Amino acid sequence: MADPGPLTVPEVLRRLGGSARAGDLRERVTGRALATAVRHGDVIRVGRGSYVLPDLPSPRQVAARARGVLSHLAAAEHWGLPVLLPPDAVHVSVPHGSRPAPVDGVRYHWCTLAPDEVAEGATTPLRTVLDCATGLSFREALAVADAALRADLVDEGDLWRAAHRRRGPGSRRCRRVVRTASPEAANPFESALRAVVVEADLPGFVPQHRIAAGTLRAQVDLADPRLRLAVEGDSYTYHGTRGAFVRDCRRYDELVRAGWTVLRFTWEHVMFEPSWVAALISDVRRELSARAR
């Protein structure tokens, strides 16, 4: 799995969650590129050294004007599913033969939807997961599928059967996402980390594995129980206080004392350096396997 090549300023900002300080952006884009993106309206400077993505059009208004329904990430957000990255467009599905007016920030999908695939002006959760699994990157699609299962918005059996009925472009990718999806994933970041492991063909990892050893009671994002290898996604959002930092250090030290090898990756590692993440996990896994023999 190759790391992304040179990224545009909007894509870097999107991978940073849709807003960032200039210093964070300058680690991956030049000052000239940032100034050009601002001048063209691709990103917006909202304060001294702060940048955000432009607001997208109102999803409901766009869908109504196009006589279509919200789909893909727009539908996922409609159903309250957390997504890995801010949508780069409002996704609207319209009937074959329709000719909606082009709108900046809107992406149309021409398809035929059955009556039971639409609810509340959006594709149903089941159809939404399938569309995302077919048309989005593996990690973005897996985050949506995991979230839908976690929220009990789709049934695992129904999802599996519907995926296997899919035909055409993207159907194999769709089945891979559905085959990998799990309600155990705690959040989109964890889904993305698992996607890196799956795409690198590293078997044996299970999400949200519980570990009990002596007084230690821990739950890790991903674990290979046979090799006692834990892989954690460390997000500043959840670990950004001094108290959380102290608790995390103690937890990781206790895991090591219990005989576990712990690898920790940040959001930036997973979003911008997936091949390095995969290579590191693979190398450590290989070393632990050699010791176990």
Side-chain angles (χ1 to χ4, degrees):
M1 174 181 47
D3 282 338
L7 299 171
T8 65
V9 176
E11 182 57 25
V12 169
L13 189 53
R14 183 171 179 252
R15 294 188 185 200
L16 290 172
S19 64
R21 302 288 297 174
D24 295 325
L25 288 169
R26 288 293 301 276
E27 290 182 6
R28 294 177 173 83
V29 301
T30 65
R32 182 176 181 179
L34 180 56
T36 300
V38 171
R39 187 167 63 251
H40 291 168
D42 296 328
V43 302
I44 298 174
R45 185 173 181 268
V46 293
R48 187 173 181 179
S50 296
Y51 298 85
V52 299
L53 291 171
D55 290 335
L56 294 174
S58 166
R60 286 190 174 278
Q61 290 181 12
V62 168
R65 291 192 190 113
R67 297 185 178 180
V69 299
L70 301 177
S71 63
H72 298 75
L73 287 181
E77 291 195 319
H78 169 80
W79 295 114
L81 298 176
V83 298
L84 179 64
L85 299 173
D88 59 353
V90 177
H91 294 261
V92 177
S93 285
V94 295
H96 288 293
S98 63
R99 301 178 66 180
V103 178
D104 288 342
V106 178
R107 188 173 304 163
Y108 296 114
H109 304 267
W110 283 264
C111 63
T112 299
L113 295 171
D116 63 355
E117 292 181 311
V118 176
E120 301 180 13
T123 52
T124 60
L126 177 60
R127 176 70 193 224
T128 298
V129 171
L130 295 174
D131 285 343
C132 289
T134 301
L136 300 182
S137 68
F138 182 67
R139 60 186 178 185
E140 287 187 88
L142 186 60
V144 172
D146 285 350
L149 290 172
R150 185 169 62 245
D152 287 327
L153 287 179
V154 298
D155 175 79
E156 200 164 357
D158 291 343
L159 183 59
W160 179 265
R161 286 186 289 272
H164 280 264
R165 288 195 297 268
R166 279 234 157 174
R167 296 295 181 268
S171 57
R172 290 182 63 184
R173 182 166 63 249
C174 175
R175 287 190 284 275
R176 188 186 190 195
V177 170
V178 170
R179 186 169 60 248
T180 308
S182 169
E184 296 298 322
N187 53 60
F189 180 25
E190 182 187 312
S191 297
L193 179 58
R194 194 165 93 260
V196 172
V197 170
V198 171
E199 289 192 296
D201 195 24
L202 300 174
F205 285 94
V206 294
Q208 291 299 309
H209 181 69
R210 294 172 176 81
I211 299 171
T215 59
L216 173 66
R217 297 293 182 273
Q219 190 164 310
V220 296
D221 292 340
L222 287 174
D224 183 330
R226 183 180 69 85
L227 297 177
R228 300 174 77 83
L229 172 60
V231 179
E232 292 272 76
D234 281 348
S235 169
Y236 186 79
T237 302
Y238 299 101
H239 306 279
T241 67
R242 186 174 184 86
F245 179 63
V246 170
R247 289 191 297 273
D248 284 347
C249 286
R250 182 185 185 93
R251 175 172 172 270
Y252 291 129
D253 289 344
E254 289 292 348
L255 283 167
V256 172
R257 179 160 69 172
W260 283 78
T261 298
V262 183
L263 298 178
R264 303 170 64 182
F265 299 103
T266 66
W267 173 273
E268 286 79 3
H269 291 147
V270 175
M271 292 297 108
F272 294 99
E273 303 178 81
S275 65
W276 173 76
V277 172
L280 184 59
I281 296 173
S282 179
D283 289 347
V284 171
R285 189 171 174 275
R286 187 183 304 112
E287 175 65 25
L288 293 174
S289 294
R291 293 181 193 172
R293 287 199 292 268

